[in-house]
Amino acid sequence: MSVEKLHFLKTGRCGVAAWMLDTQNRPAGMLDLPIWAYLIETTDGPILIDTGMPDEMIGKPDLFTQPGREPEIVPRMTADDTILAALGRAGYQPSDLLCLVNTHTHFDHSGGNRHFHGVEVVIQKAEYDAAIANRGADPSDFWNDAGLNYRIVEGDVELVPGVRLLFTPGHTVGHQSVLVTTPKTGAVLLTVDASYCRANFEDGIPFAGADEGLELQSIAKLREIAKAEQAFVFYGHDTVQETQVDTYPAAY
Ligand SMILES: [Zn+2]
């Protein structure tokens, strides 16, 4: 088995308070961030990384806004932004997948999980255990569906030749990033939310998460891997970088 192509899939946008990307300087205002899923085509079938936001956020930007308070999270989603629509544009449906990888259980990464019954969902043990422990208490409970078949992994693992899962806790307790090696581009490091943006990764600016110290340790680990692999590094929610990559049908 080998990796053939990597595609970037856009799955909507989300407004977030700017301080969340820089908890040191805490700038005021809101940012409008891209939400991504990633499709890896292999000789044995496609692998999907993350499932975007849940369908019930379509046309509901005020879902998280408390009356009388400044909004901090504003999902901007249309029917075209669902994971099924994005996957469909690439010519696939869930049953075509070799497997699905969940980088973590936040709503903008596992929101569409429920559409993937019958597909193996690969998640880190620490992330799964924490999700189980917080079940019901966390508003982003979209990972939690009785029909889902989770496959638990622990630490850094080779998912298939050319796709490595990297344990990068900090943003959440069991976050994982993905290193993909493609024939066209070579190594591509999808930090996902181990770095929201370039400043987190390159300048070590801490950002919103469960444990900022652990975030910086995971970034140090990823920087070493990126250097050793001479990887193209793609961040989880970077508004500059989103203008520099091409989405499906472009392939990397
Ligand atoms: Zn995210």
Side-chain angles (χ1 to χ4, degrees):
M1 180 196 294
S2 61
V3 170
E4 294 182 313
K5 291 172 181 175
L6 166 68
H7 303 286
F8 295 91
L9 307 182
K10 273 245 173 91
T11 52
R13 310 192 69 80
C14 190
V16 306
W19 67 261
M20 289 190 194
L21 278 71
D22 179 355
T23 51
Q24 212 160 53
N25 303 304
R26 299 184 69 89
M30 293 288 288
L31 295 171
D32 179 39
L33 305 183
I35 308 296
W36 295 103
Y38 312 90
L39 182 68
I40 301 168
E41 296 193 88
T42 81
T43 49
D44 283 21
I47 297 170
L48 181 66
I49 315 283
D50 285 344
T51 59
M53 297 186 284
D55 298 0
E56 52 268 65
M57 289 185 187
I58 295 169
K60 295 269 174 57
D62 300 328
L63 203 64
F64 295 106
T65 305
Q66 311 277 346
R69 294 189 60 180
E70 287 295 306
E72 293 202 319
I73 297 178
V74 181
R76 297 194 183 97
M77 190 183 183
T78 70
D80 282 344
D81 297 325
T82 67
I83 192 62
L84 289 188
L87 198 57
R89 282 191 290 275
Y92 296 115
Q93 53 186 342
S95 58
D96 296 326
L97 295 180
L98 203 55
C99 66
L100 164 66
V101 173
N102 263 174
T103 61
H104 61 303
T105 57
H106 283 168
F107 75 90
D108 54 327
H109 296 265
S110 64
N113 274 21
R114 79 181 62 148
H115 296 299
F116 294 85
H117 289 185
V119 179
E120 203 172 54
V121 187
V122 183
I123 191 167
Q124 287 284 330
K125 182 176 191 304
E127 188 75 3
Y128 187 76
D129 288 350
I132 293 286
N134 295 325
R135 183 161 39 190
D138 187 335
S140 52
D141 230 5
F142 302 99
W143 65 275
N144 184 10
D145 185 301
L148 288 168
N149 170 28
Y150 284 98
R151 174 179 151 204
I152 312 293
V153 295
E154 208 169 353
D156 296 354
V157 294
E158 184 182 69
L159 183 65
V160 299
V163 182
R164 263 165 69 198
L165 306 179
L166 303 169
F167 183 51
T168 48
H171 180 63
T172 61
V173 296
H175 186 278
Q176 58 186 346
S177 305
V178 185
L179 181 70
V180 188
T181 305
T182 73
K184 184 176 174 185
T185 311
V188 181
L189 175 59
L190 305 170
T191 69
V192 194
D193 288 2
S195 288
Y196 271 175
C197 63
R198 185 179 299 274
N200 303 138
F201 191 82
E202 291 189 352
D203 306 331
I205 303 286
F207 58 104
D211 183 329
E212 289 181 0
L214 210 48
E215 274 179 4
L216 297 180
Q217 279 178 39
S218 288
I219 286 172
K221 167 180 167 170
L222 290 182
R223 286 174 62 144
E224 265 182 39
I225 291 168
K227 194 174 167 198
E229 302 283 340
Q230 296 186 298
F232 165 50
V233 182
F234 191 76
Y235 311 107
H237 299 284
D238 189 304
T239 53
V240 175
Q241 203 175 31
E242 77 164 305
T243 66
Q244 298 165 345
V245 295
D246 295 313
T247 55
Y248 189 90
Y252 286 80

